[in-house]
Amino acid sequence: MTTMENPTAFGSGNAATDKFKAERVTSDTSVERASAIYQDVLGALADVIHKHQVTYDEYRVLKQWLIDVGEYGEWPLFLDVFLEHEIEKVHYERKGFAGTKGSIEGPYYVPDSPRLPAKCTMPMREQDRLAPSLIFKGQVTDLEGNGLPGATVELWHADEEGFYSQFAPGIPEWNLRGTVEVDENGNFEITTLKPAPYKIPADGPTGWMIQSYGGHPWRPAHLHLMVKAPGKRSITTQLYFKGGEWVDDDVATAVKPELILDPQPNAAGIEEVTYNFVLDPDA
Ligand code: BEZ
Ligand code: FE
């Protein structure tokens, strides 16, 4: 993994690429399906070239930019910002989910985070404790509302400066990452910090591209979740905060109305919110 003094697009991009490459992914796509997809992709690109009368200078800039994306390790970042939300939509439409809505995984998930009890505080540094706290609680159930005692709620999110552990230097390995084991009724109660809006790295080719069309690199503040239970379909999703900046204009187009939280101060003045996860049976 790349480590550097200051967080950079190059550092986080290459850390995400190294993690992704370690997975060695495969797909059982047939030759016929691959042929149909490639023809349509190339046909769509040809249409764009003709529609916009793309010039040789623009073509060469594209070639250089594609080389840069690879060198900065930004393919996971770029694809997860601009394409993953469409893949995620197709995934959920195809499988006909009736439970909790999904959202994109993004490039910063790491499996096997520390196991935590149903009532827990996320691993965090002293400096993270100074940020506003959030108590996030709920129940994992099946479609009929029965609690699922064997479920786990994996939670990961950025710190108060917008950095993810393992993708920026100097942060403890499992900071703000945990796998919460729900209690015998499927309940959990997690204390963490309320994340701030997240700016995707702007000092690399993905950021340069966004700048070149006058866009912005912001995602609304969010929690990432992966919820699993024996015999149920796992769900990958994100939760956002009502009225938060960029909720209506997410660079990654990943917000859904069903995924917006509205925490309220509890008796001790700490923001608290309940969100229940509903899992479909395994198909
Ligand atoms: C994120 O949710 O952290 C994320 C998603 C897509 C691209 C980059 C980051
Ligand atoms: Fe994120």
Side-chain angles (χ1 to χ4, degrees):
M1 182 182 305
T2 313
T3 50
M4 291 182 174
E5 280 281 294
N6 297 308
T8 59
F10 189 88
S12 66
N14 278 294
T17 292
D18 290 348
K19 282 256 188 301
F20 186 78
K21 278 164 66 180
E23 274 183 51
R24 306 307 319 168
V25 294
T26 58
S27 160
D28 60 1
T29 308
S30 67
V31 172
E32 293 74 26
R33 181 171 162 78
S35 169
I37 291 174
Y38 294 146
Q39 280 181 46
D40 280 358
V41 167
L42 294 174
L45 286 174
D47 287 348
V48 169
I49 290 166
H50 287 277
K51 178 176 172 191
H52 295 282
Q53 294 286 287
V54 173
T55 66
Y56 248 106
D57 281 350
E58 288 164 343
Y59 171 68
R60 290 196 188 97
V61 167
L62 171 67
K63 219 183 215 180
Q64 180 60 58
W65 180 82
L66 291 169
I67 292 167
D68 291 341
V69 174
E71 286 181 355
Y72 274 71
E74 280 198 356
W75 280 117
L77 175 72
F78 176 79
L79 293 168
D80 292 352
V81 169
F82 291 107
L83 278 192
E84 191 187 351
H85 62 277
E86 298 296 346
I87 301 286
E88 189 272 333
K89 249 188 246 165
V90 169
H91 171 74
Y92 282 88
E93 280 165 13
R94 180 195 267 154
K95 292 206 160 188
F97 279 70
T100 300
K101 297 276 180 206
S103 185
I104 64 172
E105 180 178 309
Y108 304 137
Y109 170 68
V110 185
D112 304 319
S113 59
R115 310 287 285 198
L116 301 170
K119 185 167 179 175
C120 63
T121 297
M122 291 290 278
M124 64 172 89
R125 302 161 292 182
E126 274 315 304
Q127 70 189 72
D128 301 312
R129 290 178 200 279
L130 301 177
S133 295
L134 175 73
I135 298 175
F136 171 58
K137 59 185 190 179
Q139 188 184 24
V140 183
T141 73
D142 62 15
L143 292 180
E144 288 73 43
N146 303 304
L148 296 172
T152 54
V153 177
E154 283 179 78
L155 173 64
W156 71 102
H157 63 86
D159 67 15
E160 62 283 7
E161 293 182 297
F163 297 121
Y164 285 86
S165 57
Q166 304 194 35
F167 297 90
I171 303 177
E173 189 177 22
W174 295 107
N175 208 56
L176 301 172
R177 295 179 184 275
T179 301
V180 179
E181 296 176 341
V182 302
D183 70 12
E184 64 281 8
N185 298 310
N187 292 311
F188 62 89
E189 181 178 325
I190 306 167
T191 300
T192 190
L193 64 86
K194 192 173 175 201
Y198 173 74
K199 187 178 170 192
I200 65 161
D203 57 328
T206 303
W208 305 334
M209 187 197 100
I210 291 170
Q211 208 177 12
S212 76
Y213 67 70
H216 72 77
W218 288 95
R219 298 214 61 223
H222 58 277
L223 304 172
H224 288 270
L225 295 130
M226 203 176 278
V227 184
K228 301 176 182 169
K232 304 292 171 213
R233 279 191 212 157
S234 302
I235 177 148
T236 300
T237 194
Q238 299 190 18
L239 294 170
Y240 306 91
F241 298 93
K242 189 175 173 187
E245 225 181 337
W246 312 109
V247 167
D248 298 323
D249 188 17
D250 175 12
V251 66
T253 326
V255 179
K256 296 180 184 175
E258 299 86 348
L259 301 177
I260 298 177
L261 302 173
D262 188 14
Q264 299 294 325
N266 65 12
I270 299 172
E271 285 201 38
E272 189 172 312
V273 69
T274 299
Y275 191 89
N276 299 325
F277 295 98
V278 180
L279 299 187
D280 289 82
D282 219 350

